[in-house]
């Protein structure tokens, strides 16, 4: 029943993470499907993963309120490989936490898009938290224009 599935999930989010009623409402309005996910198979392992990264309860609550679809992602097959790519690009875990609290959608993009954009930013020496977020939200066309244009101008001046 609705009551037996949803109530424990909402209670757990509020007790475990201190999510406010408005944060729960925001999460539900963004992606209600998370309410039907298993607490033990999905929600708890994902929340534990965010905490192991260095987030506290309020930070995890902010991430989930903003991007509840992350609760449906596989930690092993989806989140860990993306985290590893961001680490390998030179970001410390504390920087990654900062990025994810502001822009949790980072983890919803494909690994290929993430690595391509980090490589392009790194090639021009501008791989920062803010630039990464800015590059991720660009359309492919905007990204190609901006970054291929920068590289082409560099070649013309040499």
């Amino acid at each position: 029943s609705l009551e037996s599935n949803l109530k424990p999930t909402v209670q757990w989010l509020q007790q475990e993470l201190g999510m406010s009623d408005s944060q729960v409402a925001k999460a539900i309005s963004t992606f209600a499907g998370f309410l039907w996910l298993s607490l033990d198979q999905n929600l708890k392992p994902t929340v534990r993963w965010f905490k192991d990264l260095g987030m506290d309860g309020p930070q995890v609550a902010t991430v989930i309120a903003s991007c509840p679809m992350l609760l449906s992602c596989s930690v092993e097959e989806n989140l860990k490989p993306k985290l590893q790519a961001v680490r390998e690009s030179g970001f410390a875990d504390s920087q990654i936490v900062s990025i994810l609290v502001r822009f949790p959608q980072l983890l919803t993009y494909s690994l290929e898009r993430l690595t391509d954009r980090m490589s392009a930013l790194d090639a021009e020496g501008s791989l920062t938290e803010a630039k990464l977020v800015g590059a991720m939200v660009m359309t492919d066309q905007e990204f190609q224009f901006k970054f291929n244009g920068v590289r082409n101008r560099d070649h013309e001046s040499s």
Side-chain angles (χ1 to χ4, degrees), residues 3 5 7 22 33 45 53 61-62 70 75 77-79 81-82 89 91 111 121 123 128 135 151 157:
E3 182 80 5
N5 280 353
K7 198 170 183 182
S22 64
L53 181 58
T62 298
L70 290 174
V75 168
E77 296 172 25
N78 190 320
L79 302 178
K82 291 174 186 174
S89 74
F91 287 101
L111 181 59
L121 288 166
T128 64
R151 283 196 209 83
S157 64

Side-chain angles (χ1 to χ4, degrees), residues 89 112-127 131-132 135 143-144 146-148 150-151 154:
S89 74
E112 179 184 14
R113 179 183 180 115
L114 182 60
T115 55
D116 287 352
R117 299 202 175 193
M118 288 188 302
S119 295
L121 288 166
D122 193 38
E124 70 163 23
S126 65
L127 183 55
K131 294 268 189 176
L132 176 58
F143 186 78
Q144 291 300 325
K146 180 170 170 75
F147 286 90
N148 288 338
V150 166
R151 283 196 209 83
D154 287 347

Side-chain angles (χ1 to χ4, degrees), residues 32-57:
F34 84 89
L35 292 169
W36 282 267
L37 296 171
S38 161
L39 260 176
D40 292 325
Q41 299 297 313
N42 300 93
L43 277 65
K44 288 180 181 179
T46 305
V47 165
R48 189 176 320 112
W49 184 78
F50 281 119
K51 286 184 170 183
D52 289 346
L53 181 58
M55 288 186 191
D56 60 23

